[in-house]
Amino acid sequence: MKRSGPLFTLLAGLLLALFMLSLNVTSGTRSTSTGSESSGDVVQASPTPTASPPSGKPSPSPSPSKTAVPNADYAGRTDDDSSAIAVTLRDGKAVAYFCDGKDQESWLKGDVKADGSMRLTGQNGNVLTGELKGKRIRGTVDMGQRKYGFTADKAVKPSGLYRATATVRGAEVDGGWIVLPSGQQVGILNRAGKPSPAPRIDPETGAVTVDGQRLTAKPVTP
């Protein structure tokens, strides 16, 4: 009896140890499983939703482009009827000729704005300011000592502005002509810088005879 007591005690201890070991294994498995699930929750987090791009505002409509001034020729007289004026417009540029048919003249040039206004300049500080409205240019020519108001209506060929340059009998010749809608011609011919009334030209061909030599006056453009 004395020998069986310790044996039972040893068996009881072994059983207790096995029981405790099984508890530890089970507890560790559950802990590991729980940790895996927690780790899985972090990995499988729902993706961040992609932000939708801001709605684009419609581009403002481009402002309508201004209409360019049409190419055309204009001719007329000053308000006091003492002189003539002709203006030629091409691609936003202008050239003008002021002439009294005796000894006073001026060639002027410059730009024409989209609204039809213009400021043309010539030698000796001469300035033409005008504005195109419809089929007519109204404005003034400042010749230094005097200003002339003028009106120039749209001209149809052969009306318009003509010029001829050449060397005749050793002298430089420069002539300018304004052919008005009425058929009247106003022009000045410079021989070596000396002005005088210009001879008539044939407006259909531009032919003109100067000191016995035949020249051709051509339409003037900027």
Side-chain angles (χ1 to χ4, degrees), residues 165-174 189 191-192 209-215:
T165 57
T167 300
V168 178
R169 296 183 179 180
E172 295 296 325
V173 173
D174 185 4
L189 183 70
R191 294 179 177 85
T209 300
V210 176
D211 297 337
Q213 183 171 326
R214 185 181 179 87
L215 305 179

Side-chain angles (χ1 to χ4, degrees), residues 10 33 51 56 118 141-142 146 150 152 195 199 213:
L10 180 60
S33 176
M118 64 192 77
V141 177
D142 186 349
R146 182 177 174 183
F150 73 88
Q213 183 171 326

Side-chain angles (χ1 to χ4, degrees), residues 97-187:
Y97 181 54
F98 169 89
C99 175
D100 67 358
K102 301 174 183 176
D103 56 9
Q104 190 177 34
E105 65 175 353
S106 180
W107 291 94
L108 310 103
K109 60 182 179 179
D111 297 328
V112 183
K113 295 182 179 180
D115 62 1
S117 61
M118 64 192 77
R119 185 180 186 276
L120 315 182
T121 57
Q123 294 182 349
N124 304 320
N126 300 332
V127 178
L128 180 152
T129 56
E131 184 175 5
L132 171 64
K133 288 187 176 181
K135 297 181 179 181
R136 174 175 292 179
I137 297 176
R138 293 186 61 87
T140 61
V141 177
D142 186 349
M143 293 295 291
Q145 295 181 350
R146 182 177 174 183
K147 283 187 177 181
Y148 298 82
F150 73 88
T151 300
D153 294 320
K154 189 173 182 179
V156 179
K157 296 297 183 184
S159 299
L161 179 58
Y162 297 82
R163 191 173 192 176
T165 57
T167 300
V168 178
R169 296 183 179 180
E172 295 296 325
V173 173
D174 185 4
W177 290 264
I178 298 172
V179 180
L180 298 169
S182 63
Q184 181 185 5
Q185 296 184 17
V186 182

Side-chain angles (χ1 to χ4, degrees), residues 7 9 11 29 31 46 55 58 73 81-82 91 158-160 172 174 177 185 187 199:
L7 182 60
T9 301
L11 291 174
T29 302
S31 177
S46 59
S55 58
D73 302 321
D81 202 33
S82 67
D91 302 324
S159 299
E172 295 296 325
D174 185 4
W177 290 264
Q185 296 184 17

